Amino acid sequence: MFGKIEHIGIAVKNLTEAEQRYTQLLGTSPYKREEVASEGVLTSFFLAGVNKIELLQALNSESAIAKFIEKRGEGIHHVAYEVEDIYKEMDRLRNSGFTLLNEHPKKGADNKLICFVHPRDAHGVLVELCQSI
Ligand SMILES: CC[C@H](C(=O)O)C(=O)SCCNC(=O)CCNC(=O)[C@H](O)C(C)(C)COP(=O)(O)OP(=O)(O)OC[C@H]1O[C@@H](n2cnc3c(N)ncnc32)[C@H](O)[C@@H]1OP(=O)(O)O
Ligand SMILES: [Co+2]
């Protein structure tokens, strides 16, 4: 089953500008930046209380973030949930008819194994599963 929300992913055009604005908003600076070439994204992470915010900038036009922004503009891109056993959760969701966007867990940012569920199976929300490595 799913645990707490692990992070909220926010698609931004300019990471530096967004970091400055979110530092003002949250009253805290990002604790790390990480490039994930496999996803074509540069990420920046904030911890606001117990809540983790992931800002994502596209590294190239093929990136899911680039396509999202092109189509829908900046904004909330996905909701990530913490799972204890991503393999077990992927099997459970597959067996319940959910469309998983990657067959096997893949390496995400912030030392996680991740998988995505198609937004059409979650009423328009892109859902990410995250297991700590
Ligand atoms: C660095 C890792 C990091 C981490 O936390 O570790 C990340 O979070 S990486 C985040 C970026 N990577 C991904 O998002 C990978 C999974 N995403 C995908 O496979 C695609 O983006 C997909 C399948 C969600 C959409 O693909 P695409 O945009 O090429 O297809 P469509 O435009 O046809 O979209 C289909 C349908 O879905 C709607 N859509 C697209 N993106 C989202 C979204 N983020 N949230 C909600 N809905 C979304 C899109 O509007 C289309 O709907 P329709 O009604 O048909 O117009
Ligand atoms: Co994410």
Side-chain angles (χ1 to χ4, degrees):
M1 63 175 205
F2 282 13
K4 70 177 173 74
I5 289 179
E6 209 284 326
H7 64 266
I8 302 284
I10 300 173
V12 298
K13 291 175 183 169
N14 181 309
L15 195 60
T16 303
E17 284 175 14
E19 280 178 324
Q20 288 163 356
R21 183 55 66 97
Y22 266 76
T23 297
Q24 275 184 313
L25 176 73
L26 302 174
T28 182
S29 302
Y31 65 87
K32 77 186 295 190
R33 267 197 177 192
E34 186 175 346
E35 180 177 310
V36 182
S38 58
E39 289 295 322
V41 294
L42 179 59
T43 63
S44 178
F45 286 94
F46 290 80
L47 210 47
V50 297
N51 307 302
K52 191 190 288 185
I53 301 297
E54 176 188 60
L55 302 181
L56 303 113
Q57 178 190 306
L59 289 171
N60 57 61
S61 59
E62 289 313 299
S63 161
I65 295 301
K67 291 183 180 177
F68 177 86
I69 289 178
E70 189 186 326
K71 195 166 186 180
R72 304 161 73 122
E74 293 184 310
I76 292 180
H77 178 261
H78 61 273
V79 179
Y81 294 86
E82 187 178 74
V83 294
E84 275 192 21
D85 181 336
I86 196 165
Y87 293 91
K88 188 174 157 197
E89 287 303 303
M90 287 174 72
D91 285 344
R92 180 179 69 81
L93 292 173
R94 238 184 243 116
N95 296 335
S96 304
F98 288 85
T99 302
L100 302 184
L101 294 168
N102 42 290
E103 194 183 343
H104 304 290
K106 53 187 178 180
K107 179 88 171 54
D110 218 20
N111 300 311
K112 298 283 183 294
L113 276 182
I114 66 173
C115 169
F116 289 91
V117 180
H118 201 288
R120 68 166 167 261
D121 292 341
H123 295 275
V125 178
L126 178 61
V127 169
E128 178 183 353
L129 280 63
C130 284
Q131 177 185 325
S132 294
I133 298 175

